[in-house]
Amino acid sequence: MSLRIPQISFDDSDQLAALCKAGGDSLRLNVLRALASDSFGVLELAQIFATGQSGISHHLKVLTQAGLLATRREGNAIFYRRALPQPDSLGGKLHAALLDEVDQLSLPLDVQARIGAVHAQRSAASEDFFARMAGSFQARQDLIAGLPQYRDSVVALLDALNVSADSTALEVGPGDGSFLPELAHRFAQVVAVDNSPAMLELARSRCERDALGNVELKLADALQDECPSADCVVLNMVLHHLAAPGEALKQLARLVNVGGSLLITELCSHNQSWAREACGDLWLGFEQDDLARWADAAGLTPGESLYIGLKNGFQIQARYFSRPAPDSRLTHR
């Protein structure tokens, strides 16, 4: 007489074990910390943690298999970011708790310095592009999404804000200044900030041509230099040119007055890698969850969103986020 051996499934426990294993290594915990508001490619992470590519690839594989990281292809490169915890799924609460603890860590100073070096490399590439291509900027921008293709949607969001007559606006990266007339007609005072002298001259020409007397142009880096706060901060097709968009949102949110709004127009995630060379894009658009997650980390709450599909296959997301009073944010959570 033969005995039947029951088949035991370890699927659920294996999944939890993989999550625990992934969090059981100090380097992997530091990788998760570094990815709190950024995404990096394998070579960048190897540079940041002074580790060989094969070694960092192994750690990324463990984290990804445990569901702690998500991947996204950017042209020929694969970038890693933190996966969002799903509280109702197996291991979701453990996942969320692990990230909460990780975010209390301070990265070693040498790691922070190398992250800064990676960001500097990205920024230098973007600044070099705009210095060289200012004269053909609009034509290149039109290859993907020119302002006329999304102007009405952004204006609709602006008008829905019902701004008061004495409200102020700040546009970061105004390009050739095409959107400044819309802001000048709706706000008492507008400041436009750009770190490219060539692009700022284009915006200046626009202001002079349209007699925009309430617009002040400022040569500055909104992420590093002193900038005025405003009731409405506007970024039109800017984030995908920034080295660390998640961290940038945190800094830009500080420029939004309490009760004010951050208005963002951005490309949705796409796979058109030619945009890097043709338009100086550092990122191939963003997932909707990316902007929502970064905005939440910056203390902002979501408002209206509009999505515009273009004939060339690209999609634009126009969204605004508000900065509530600190106590009201806690109340609504």
Side-chain angles (χ1 to χ4, degrees):
M1 180 178 178
S2 60
L3 295 176
R4 296 187 62 187
I5 301 176
Q7 298 297 312
I8 301 176
S9 173
F10 292 99
D11 289 349
D12 289 351
S13 59
D14 285 347
Q15 185 174 340
L16 289 176
L19 188 58
C20 293
K21 175 185 176 182
D25 181 274
S26 60
L27 175 57
R28 291 198 284 270
L29 292 177
N30 279 322
V31 168
L32 286 173
R33 180 66 184 88
L35 293 173
S37 60
D38 209 334
S39 61
F40 293 104
V42 175
L43 293 179
E44 290 178 331
L45 287 167
Q47 175 183 341
I48 288 168
F49 290 101
T51 304
Q53 182 179 349
S54 60
I56 200 70
S57 294
H58 165 72
H59 290 295
L60 294 173
K61 181 179 180 181
V62 172
L63 289 166
T64 302
Q65 289 180 337
L68 290 169
L69 294 185
T71 60
R72 179 178 167 204
R73 183 168 291 278
E74 291 271 347
N76 295 323
I78 294 178
F79 279 74
Y80 289 82
R81 64 173 177 82
R82 292 203 323 200
L84 294 175
Q86 305 297 324
D88 296 331
S89 65
L90 179 68
K93 293 179 181 178
L94 180 59
H95 181 169
L98 176 62
L99 295 185
D100 284 342
E101 292 293 337
V102 162
D103 287 342
Q104 305 307 311
L105 300 175
S106 294
L107 285 168
L109 293 179
D110 57 338
V111 171
Q112 294 183 42
R114 288 192 289 267
I115 288 176
V118 169
H119 288 165
Q121 292 163 9
R122 293 175 177 175
S123 296
S126 180
E127 291 171 13
D128 178 67
F129 172 85
F130 284 105
R132 290 184 292 107
M133 301 300 180
S136 59
F137 169 78
Q138 192 57 58
R140 289 170 178 267
Q141 190 69 29
D142 288 344
L143 291 173
I144 299 178
L147 180 62
Q149 296 171 290
Y150 61 86
R151 182 198 307 269
D152 290 347
S153 296
V154 183
V155 167
L157 287 181
L158 266 181
D159 290 341
L161 298 178
N162 294 317
V163 297
S164 61
D166 60 348
S167 294
T168 58
L170 170 69
E171 183 171 13
V172 178
D176 63 358
S178 295
F179 198 64
L180 289 176
E182 302 290 354
L183 294 175
H185 295 153
R186 289 168 172 79
F187 293 90
Q189 184 66 34
V190 179
V191 177
V193 175
D194 205 307
N195 64 355
S196 168
M199 298 307 298
L200 206 62
E201 278 307 307
L202 294 178
R204 191 180 309 281
S205 297
R206 170 79 63 171
C207 291
E208 292 174 355
R209 184 167 67 251
D210 293 358
L212 305 180
N214 61 337
V215 176
E216 176 188 354
L217 300 177
K218 186 174 182 179
L219 178 63
D221 188 328
L223 303 181
Q224 298 181 19
D225 302 324
E226 189 74 21
C227 288
S229 62
D231 299 308
C232 183
V233 177
V234 178
L235 290 88
N236 281 329
M237 299 296 175
V238 170
L239 273 185
H240 61 255
H241 293 296
L242 300 183
E247 189 60 33
L249 269 191
K250 282 186 180 180
Q251 297 182 51
L252 293 172
R254 300 189 186 107
L255 300 178
V256 181
N257 292 334
V258 172
S261 298
L262 177 64
L263 181 61
I264 300 175
T265 306
E266 255 308 329
L267 291 170
C268 293
S269 178
H270 64 87
N271 60 2
Q272 303 298 313
S273 58
W274 56 266
R276 288 181 180 277
E277 184 175 348
C279 303
D281 294 4
L282 291 180
W283 305 102
L284 302 183
F286 302 102
E287 300 290 345
Q288 299 171 28
D289 285 346
D290 289 335
L291 295 186
R293 177 166 50 90
W294 295 335
D296 183 71
L300 303 174
T301 57
E304 295 294 330
S305 300
L306 296 174
Y307 297 89
I308 308 106
L310 306 180
K311 291 182 179 179
N312 59 8
F314 289 97
Q315 186 177 28
I316 294 172
Q317 47 185 319
R319 311 174 67 175
Y320 83 77
F321 302 90
S322 61
R323 183 183 177 191
D327 56 343
S328 67
R329 181 174 165 83
L330 292 174
T331 300
H332 286 90
R333 283 198 152 190

